[in-house]
Amino acid sequence: MLPFQIFVKYVNETADLDIIEPGDCSVISLINDAKKKLKGDPIEPWEKWQLAITLPWNGVRHVLTTDEQLMCCFKEFDRCDKPTIEFELILVPNDMEFPVDLLAWKEGFIGENVPPPEENVQHNGNELLEDVVNEAVEDTATEPVEDIANEPVEDTSTELDEDAASEPVEDAVSDEFDGSEDDNYEVVDESEDDSDVSLVDEGGLDFANPDRCDPDGDDSIVILSSDEENGLTRAARYCRDNQWAPNPNGTIAFEDGQIIGNAKMTRAAVKMYAIQEGFTLKKVKNDKCRYTVVCKNDACDWRLHASCLTDGVTFMIKSVRGGHSMCPRVAENKEATSRWVSSVLKSLIQSNPKGKGKFFKNELQERYAVKVGNQTVYRAKRIVLENLKSDHAKAYAKIRKYGNVIRVMNPGSDVYVALNPDVVSVNPTFFRFYLSFKACKIGFKNGCRPLIGVDGCHLTGQFGGVLLSATALDGDSGIIPIALCICESETTESWTWFLRLLRESLEWEEGRPICFISDRQKGGLAAISKEWPEASNRYCFRHLIANFIATFKNHNINGKLWHAARVANRGCFDEAMAAIRSENAKAADWMMSEPVERWARHGFDPRIKSDHITNNMSECFNSWIKDERDKHVL
């Protein structure tokens, strides 16, 4: 079989691949060589290309998917004595699956669909309805724009680059403390004016009412009889019935007549569609009343036009024309700005704040088949983390109001907030927080053995800190968290503050037995002896063994030590320690240097009626909240 002169055509371009031997090529190599010749780079992993051939002697078109089909094509051309072959390159659209939370890009748009002043609203029902239903007629370049009194006209000559100018992050603390100069502040019932604690954001935005066209969200206006309806109600009904939303699988599609929201939401939705389809936008009209875009590829006939209704706010898609079937996909899409990346990868960046840029770039390629630069990823990461820091600061600013909510909705619970004594009281800052629910206190006092496990774990959020906890076990060995405390670190002062409030919460009577089990944490033992002088104390034997292994590293003795700690009488304990001493006298002396009544079962206070030698209740609680430690304080 003689070699062939190969040409590959794509849209209106043709690549000359020179003379090729049939046995030296394949379908994928022809596609790859043609893509290099036409676009300067090879095919990307997410791109789907096909090779087609139209037989010149009968006009039949075939799509070649295997190398066997390609060889049959060569044989047919050789049999017909045709030394030149012209293939056709076809780009297959990607069937991408978008995440369920695709509407994350809508964050920040809620509450912006503010209607104009009453005097600027047209009440001619016929004119309004005519404008609503006339969605197929595209606005001309001379479309009149409503003159809104005393409203500055935006400069639309240029479009701001979202990457170049970073938007300011809102102030970290928006809800300042207003109160006492005391270091220790007990949350008390608020005055009559403040007793109604609002659970809606202070900014006044109602997040349960998204940007819709229904007037004031009142459905009653659109269920009137036909005789009572007017132009405004018919417009509201049309807006509700034609509200745009993504497809069930998360993809985006547009149709004529869809109501899409305000101008900002319209631009965001069209940008998401451009990234989904892999093309770059070229803006023809872009102001507060009109938005017309086309594909930047001159060979593509896609065009979308949207404009606002007579309310001056709500946008409707007037026309969508053309498609992208013959438009090559753009890998490095300029529509994928850092602000867009921060919206679609927000949860991923928050869960991996120290993740590498390459990890997030690969995620974008896998999800959306789009390439972005390192700087775009870094800027997106900074946007998310700065907003996260702001969220954490706002949570601390609201913690006293949160305490008041608990006291109102759960009477009998104890909540205390301590302010930082080193900061001027004009703008006080958070220092410590204590919480104990009434049900947990009653459950411990009336249904549990008097053994409390105390421990601390680090918080991994924006501002760090330590969470101290007091836990107990019920009759079914279920964990009861009696109280918790958020403080700066594990110190004698913080443990003393926590254990003093714990004693006040439990109202523990003098002479009633109580025992604490801990891992001998810093400051904890001193605080227990100060605030609970009559309480007995135990050491978590697992932590004691860990210290022993660091010193002796003898695993044969470890099992014997556990046996010595678990035996229930003094005679068996002496026999176990004698066996240890015969093997390693220094190890026995090291264990006996610790008070026996704090780690050996036979020496425990019999009034406690609990034989636990480990603080597993606290370790289980710390493990239970492990995934929550990086969240904000509320």
Side-chain angles (χ1 to χ4, degrees):
M1 191 182 304
L2 296 176
F4 292 90
Q5 178 71 41
I6 303 296
F7 296 93
V8 179
K9 183 180 179 181
Y10 178 66
V11 191
N12 56 355
E13 300 179 70
T14 303
D16 183 1
L17 300 187
D18 210 349
I19 298 176
I20 297 179
E21 291 282 349
D24 296 339
C25 66
S26 61
V27 174
I28 190 64
S29 66
L30 288 178
I31 295 175
N32 197 50
D33 293 343
K35 177 85 176 341
K36 283 183 180 179
K37 200 85 171 181
L38 294 170
K39 302 300 179 184
D41 53 356
I43 58 176
E44 300 290 353
W46 58 82
E47 293 179 333
K48 297 179 181 179
W49 295 89
Q50 290 181 345
L51 197 66
I53 183 67
T54 301
L55 302 179
W57 51 85
N58 58 12
V60 177
R61 188 169 180 267
H62 297 277
V63 176
L64 308 177
T65 58
T66 63
D67 293 340
E68 289 77 11
Q69 295 175 351
L70 179 63
M71 291 305 299
C72 290
C73 176
F74 284 136
K75 292 177 181 178
E76 287 296 316
F77 273 79
D78 183 62
R79 184 178 60 83
C80 296
D81 196 20
K82 292 187 177 294
T84 303
I85 303 178
E86 183 178 289
F87 293 99
E88 181 185 355
L89 201 58
I90 304 172
L91 176 62
V92 181
N94 283 18
D95 296 329
M96 294 183 296
E97 293 185 3
F98 282 76
V100 178
D101 59 346
L102 180 68
L103 292 180
W105 56 267
K106 292 179 65 175
E107 291 184 3
F109 303 150
I110 299 175
E112 296 188 16
N113 217 7
V114 182
E118 183 68 25
E119 60 269 22
N120 295 326
V121 179
Q122 298 184 12
H123 292 283
N124 189 328
N126 293 331
E127 292 181 6
L128 180 60
L129 185 62
E130 181 181 357
D131 184 82
V132 170
V133 299
N134 192 22
E135 69 273 14
V137 180
E138 181 176 334
D139 294 354
T140 63
T142 59
E143 181 183 22
V145 180
E146 295 181 12
D147 182 17
I148 300 178
N150 301 325
E151 181 173 342
V153 179
E154 298 177 1
D155 183 10
T156 59
S157 57
T158 58
E159 180 180 324
L160 294 179
D161 183 359
E162 295 181 49
D163 278 344
S166 60
E167 297 181 8
V169 181
E170 40 184 338
D171 295 338
V173 180
S174 60
D175 190 4
E176 294 185 352
F177 289 127
D178 55 342
S180 170
E181 298 181 2
D182 297 337
D183 296 342
N184 186 14
Y185 173 78
E186 178 177 358
V187 180
V188 295
D189 293 339
E190 295 179 315
S191 62
E192 184 176 355
D193 293 337
D194 297 329
S195 60
D196 185 12
V197 181
S198 174
L199 299 183
V200 180
D201 183 76
E202 276 84 353
L205 303 181
D206 185 1
F207 292 95
N209 183 23
D211 209 347
R212 301 291 182 181
C213 299
D214 295 349
D216 300 326
D218 187 4
D219 290 338
S220 62
I221 196 171
V222 295
I223 59 174
L224 300 174
S225 66
S226 59
D227 296 335
E228 297 174 324
E229 282 191 338
N230 54 34
L232 287 175
T233 58
R234 284 193 292 271
R237 180 192 296 276
Y238 182 88
C239 289
R240 185 194 64 176
D241 295 341
N242 294 272
Q243 181 71 37
W244 174 86
N247 297 326
N249 63 347
T251 57
I252 292 178
F254 296 119
E255 296 177 358
D256 294 355
Q258 288 178 327
I259 303 297
I260 203 168
N262 57 19
K264 194 171 184 180
M265 288 181 61
T266 303
R267 296 187 184 101
V270 174
K271 171 185 284 192
M272 195 71 189
Y273 175 75
I275 295 173
Q276 169 187 300
E277 299 299 323
F279 69 94
T280 306
L281 295 173
K282 180 179 179 181
K283 298 172 179 62
V284 180
K285 300 174 186 177
N286 184 22
D287 55 39
K288 62 182 180 180
C289 293
R290 295 173 298 180
Y291 188 62
T292 305
V293 289
V294 298
C295 181
K296 210 165 189 177
N297 183 11
D298 296 335
C300 182
D301 60 348
W302 182 85
R303 185 177 187 272
L304 180 143
H305 174 73
S307 63
C308 63
L309 302 180
T310 53
D311 64 354
V313 177
T314 308
F315 265 62
M316 181 174 71
I317 297 177
K318 296 298 183 68
S319 64
V320 182
R321 301 290 181 266
H324 299 281
S325 59
M326 303 300 292
C327 183
R329 185 175 186 87
V330 178
E332 297 181 2
N333 200 327
K334 292 184 179 180
E335 304 301 331
T337 61
S338 60
R339 186 67 58 179
W340 175 82
V341 174
S342 66
S343 66
V344 297
L345 294 185
K346 178 180 178 181
S347 59
L348 185 63
I349 294 176
Q350 288 180 351
S351 59
N352 299 276
K354 296 182 180 179
K356 301 296 183 181
K358 186 176 181 180
F359 169 72
F360 298 115
K361 290 170 65 177
N362 293 339
E363 191 69 22
L364 287 172
Q365 289 186 5
E366 183 177 346
R367 287 192 190 181
Y368 306 103
V370 64
K371 279 185 176 181
V372 296
N374 291 329
Q375 291 301 319
T376 302
V377 174
Y378 294 147
R379 282 193 289 266
K381 189 176 176 181
R382 184 175 67 246
I383 291 171
V384 173
L385 295 182
E386 285 179 353
N387 290 335
L388 181 63
K389 181 178 179 180
S390 176
D391 292 342
H392 279 262
K394 288 179 181 178
Y396 279 102
K398 297 176 182 178
I399 197 167
R400 293 173 71 180
K401 181 173 287 189
Y402 169 73
N404 285 327
V405 172
I406 292 179
R407 290 178 60 85
V408 172
M409 304 304 295
N410 199 334
S413 300
D414 296 319
V415 187
Y416 297 91
V417 178
L419 307 180
N420 193 338
D422 299 330
V423 179
V424 181
S425 59
V426 175
N427 185 22
T429 59
F430 174 85
F431 189 45
R432 292 173 186 152
F433 173 79
Y434 173 88
L435 172 62
S436 179
F437 288 108
K438 178 182 178 181
C440 297
K441 296 187 297 181
I442 295 176
F444 171 71
K445 293 183 66 175
N446 298 337
C448 298
R449 303 285 171 87
L451 176 67
I452 299 178
V454 290
D455 196 13
C457 61
H458 290 281
L459 301 177
T460 57
Q462 183 68 36
F463 298 103
V466 170
L467 187 141
L468 309 179
S469 62
T471 55
L473 294 177
D474 62 14
D476 290 329
S477 296
I479 296 175
I480 294 184
I482 306 172
L484 58 86
C485 167
I486 298 174
C487 59
E488 69 283 6
S489 60
E490 287 191 74
T491 62
T492 302
E493 292 75 16
S494 60
W495 274 110
T496 301
W497 187 81
F498 174 52
L499 293 175
R500 181 175 70 251
L501 294 179
L502 177 64
R503 184 177 188 120
E504 294 175 0
S505 296
L506 295 177
E507 299 177 350
W508 203 256
E509 303 87 355
E510 292 187 7
R512 184 176 179 180
I514 186 72
C515 179
F516 290 90
I517 182 169
S518 65
D519 58 359
R520 302 187 299 174
Q521 56 267 68
K522 183 179 180 181
L525 297 179
I528 292 174
S529 61
K530 179 180 179 181
E531 297 299 331
W532 298 74
E534 74 283 2
S536 58
N537 210 342
R538 297 183 189 178
Y539 296 157
C540 177
F541 196 72
R542 189 174 65 83
H543 288 84
L544 201 63
I545 284 294
N547 295 335
F548 175 84
I549 293 175
T551 304
F552 294 96
K553 298 180 177 60
N554 191 330
H555 297 283
N556 294 329
I557 298 181
N558 294 347
K560 296 179 180 179
L561 289 175
W562 279 98
H563 173 69
R566 289 192 176 107
V567 294
N569 59 72
R570 183 58 185 249
C572 295
F573 175 78
D574 291 339
E575 292 178 2
M577 291 305 301
I580 295 173
R581 186 175 298 278
S582 63
E583 186 170 344
N584 191 328
K586 292 183 179 180
D589 293 338
W590 189 91
M591 289 299 302
M592 294 302 293
S593 64
E594 300 289 343
V596 175
E597 64 275 7
R598 296 193 175 185
W599 61 271
R601 178 185 175 188
H602 79 280
F604 291 163
D605 185 350
R607 297 177 299 171
I608 305 302
K609 296 181 174 59
S610 176
D611 58 358
H612 282 274
I613 63 174
T614 62
N615 193 14
N616 282 346
M617 63 189 82
S618 296
E619 298 299 335
C620 289
F621 177 76
N622 293 341
S623 177
W624 177 30
I625 65 172
K626 184 177 181 180
D627 294 336
E628 316 300 329
R629 294 188 208 169
D630 61 341
K631 294 180 172 57
H632 59 70
V633 62
L634 292 183

